[in-house]
Amino acid sequence: MKIISEAKSHGGCQGVYSTTSEACGGDMTFAVFRPIVAKEQLCPVVWFLSGLTCTHANVMDKGEYRRMAAELGLIIVCPDTSPRGDHVPDEPDNWQFGKGAGFYLDATQAPWSRHYRMETHILDELPALVAAHFAADMGRQGVMGHSMGGHGALTFALKHPDRFKSCSAFAPIVQPSTADWSRPALEKYLGADESGWRRHDATLLIEDGARFPEFLVDQGTADGFLDAGLRPWLLEEACQKADIGLTLRMQEGYDHSYHFISTFMDDHLAWHAERLG
Ligand SMILES: N[C@@H](CCC(=O)N[C@@H](CSC=O)C(=O)NCC(=O)O)C(=O)O
């Protein structure tokens, strides 16, 4: 692991690091905030998965999580959203696919399958690094995310309820296999056989029997992607049928931006801290 930068913040440290990822076939950058209390004890870890077009930096610069994470004693890890580098195949004019749009899965289709393996990167490679280099209690992990990253958080929690003890999302893509902006990506990464898409779709995972105790979801009513791309009511319906607790808060007048995310970030961190102990 290479240190790119470290800066004192709220008594703790906001760092940016890079690692050579075998899964993604190249160097990957990620950010870690550690609170001051991590100097004395192991701290719970909350993963923040970002949305389309993002790197690790969007939430680090605009998410406003550090004051509350410092107060609650949480380590916050912010991975990138896709493999990077000139050698990585891409569709540069398409912001919904390729670089910046890894969809938190391991691609099975050439040419994407060589590098687009964000699920393995985030679930296997980064936890090993975080455990080795930070005062992280890996027995107390939560996951949160925004939009495409909300999809990542929900699907990771549903697939790994023993690992993640808490999950929340801002404006998540709850059913990527039927939304216009994500269907083409799933087809290119995973192939035309839609049966393989189900384990990357929160509502279909629930339909197929995956369970998680409870979710917190915030969704802005003025979000331009609400009706065509996000559709939280599909998650509400799936959770109701499966008896999964869902706190869905429709936030009047908020859009899809980090102004929305930063407004409710404290609530999400408190949600995680309560469940992570
Ligand atoms: N480039 C697009 C807008 C892209 C966008 O809104 N991205 C969101 C995530 S969308 C779902 O995953 C985002 O987080 N952007 C980064 C930011 O800092 O706001 C367009 O031009 O319409």
Side-chain angles (χ1 to χ4, degrees):
M1 187 181 90
K2 274 195 291 203
I3 300 174
I4 294 176
S5 66
E6 285 189 330
K8 188 169 182 179
S9 179
H10 294 274
C13 178
Q14 177 64 66
V16 178
Y17 309 92
S18 79
T19 182
T20 301
S21 161
E22 201 184 313
C24 297
D27 288 350
M28 295 293 288
T29 305
F30 61 102
V32 178
F33 173 74
R34 53 184 194 271
I36 190 167
V37 71
K39 286 185 178 159
E40 289 151 20
Q41 63 190 55
L42 296 183
C43 296
V45 180
V46 179
W47 297 79
F48 186 95
L49 308 182
S50 295
L52 292 164
T53 71
C54 290
T55 68
H56 67 283
N58 298 67
V59 68
M60 183 178 78
D61 294 343
K62 299 190 285 190
E64 298 179 21
Y65 56 76
R66 276 176 291 272
R67 185 191 53 76
M68 192 60 153
E71 196 175 299
L72 296 171
L74 298 173
I75 289 176
I76 310 293
V77 185
C78 313
D80 204 342
T81 59
S82 76
R84 301 287 173 180
D86 293 342
H87 61 296
V88 173
D90 190 19
E91 289 185 2
D93 297 330
N94 183 357
W95 63 275
Q96 298 166 351
F97 184 73
K99 289 183 197 172
F103 275 92
Y104 301 101
L105 49 75
D106 284 358
T108 59
Q109 305 299 301
W112 316 107
S113 50
R114 170 64 193 92
H115 298 282
Y116 286 81
R117 299 184 61 220
M118 293 305 291
E119 187 167 15
T120 297
H121 175 59
I122 294 172
L123 290 180
D124 295 348
E125 292 182 331
L126 288 184
L129 278 183
V130 169
H133 294 278
F134 302 97
D137 182 348
M138 302 308 276
R140 291 187 291 159
Q141 294 185 65
V143 62
M144 66 198 296
H146 171 229
S147 199
M148 175 184 73
H151 138 77
L154 294 170
T155 54
F156 282 2
L158 285 161
K159 285 188 271 192
H160 301 281
D162 294 335
R163 180 187 304 202
F164 297 108
K165 307 276 183 282
S166 56
C167 177
S168 74
F170 299 94
I173 303 176
V174 305
Q175 198 175 88
S177 58
T178 61
D180 286 350
W181 62 348
S182 41
R183 255 188 86 77
L186 295 196
E187 185 161 2
K188 281 182 254 189
Y189 288 138
L190 300 173
D193 177 4
E194 294 189 27
S195 63
W197 303 9
R198 298 184 72 87
R199 64 179 300 280
H200 304 288
D201 184 307
T203 60
L204 300 184
L205 274 165
I206 293 171
E207 204 176 292
D208 290 346
R211 293 292 180 266
F212 197 77
E214 53 181 341
F215 299 115
L216 167 65
V217 170
D218 273 321
Q219 173 62 62
T221 62
D223 186 326
F225 300 115
L226 176 56
D227 290 327
L230 303 168
R231 305 169 295 164
W233 46 87
L234 297 177
L235 181 66
E236 194 169 37
E237 205 178 296
C239 285
Q240 255 166 19
K241 279 192 193 150
D243 207 19
I244 293 174
L246 171 67
T247 302
L248 171 61
R249 308 189 310 183
M250 297 304 293
Q251 303 289 5
E252 190 59 37
Y254 285 91
D255 65 14
H256 199 63
S257 72
Y258 274 86
H259 299 296
F260 157 62
I261 296 171
S262 59
T263 303
F264 300 104
M265 180 60 85
D266 283 5
D267 294 356
H268 284 241
L269 294 178
W271 170 276
H272 287 274
E274 263 175 43
R275 283 149 189 84
L276 297 173

